[in-house]
Amino acid sequence: MIYFYFLPKQKEWYVLPLYIAMFSFISAALDAVYHQMGLLVYFHWNPFLRFLAALGWFSLATVHYRKLYPAGI
């Protein structure tokens, strides 16, 4: 919900990709921290792959959100 609440509405070409990349990096960093604390237990995988998965997830979520609410909320 925080992601969608702060979703930028600027029309500059670099704002949205930078926002998505920032949230993907934060997601990958939190995943690594939670894993080291023992809160997330899974087979080890590359954090870069977690970043790419989050990048895809946030990109698709943004496309879906913008089609669902074209004028914004």
Side-chain angles (χ1 to χ4, degrees):
M1 295 309 296
I2 292 172
Y3 176 78
F4 292 123
Y5 183 77
F6 291 111
L7 193 64
K9 296 185 180 16
Q10 289 91 353
K11 298 297 181 189
E12 288 86 11
W13 65 271
Y14 61 87
V15 175
L16 186 61
L18 186 63
Y19 181 76
I20 293 171
M22 178 189 68
F23 259 87
S24 299
F25 178 75
I26 291 170
S27 174
L30 285 175
D31 178 63
V33 169
Y34 290 156
H35 179 66
Q36 289 178 357
M37 290 173 59
L39 297 174
L40 293 177
V41 179
Y42 53 80
F43 294 110
H44 182 71
W45 62 320
N46 193 341
F48 183 70
L49 295 177
R50 170 67 173 139
F51 172 75
L52 291 179
L55 192 67
W57 176 260
F58 285 126
S59 298
L60 291 174
T62 301
V63 168
H64 177 70
Y65 180 78
R66 290 206 169 167
K67 285 186 179 183
L68 193 61
Y69 302 109
I73 292 181

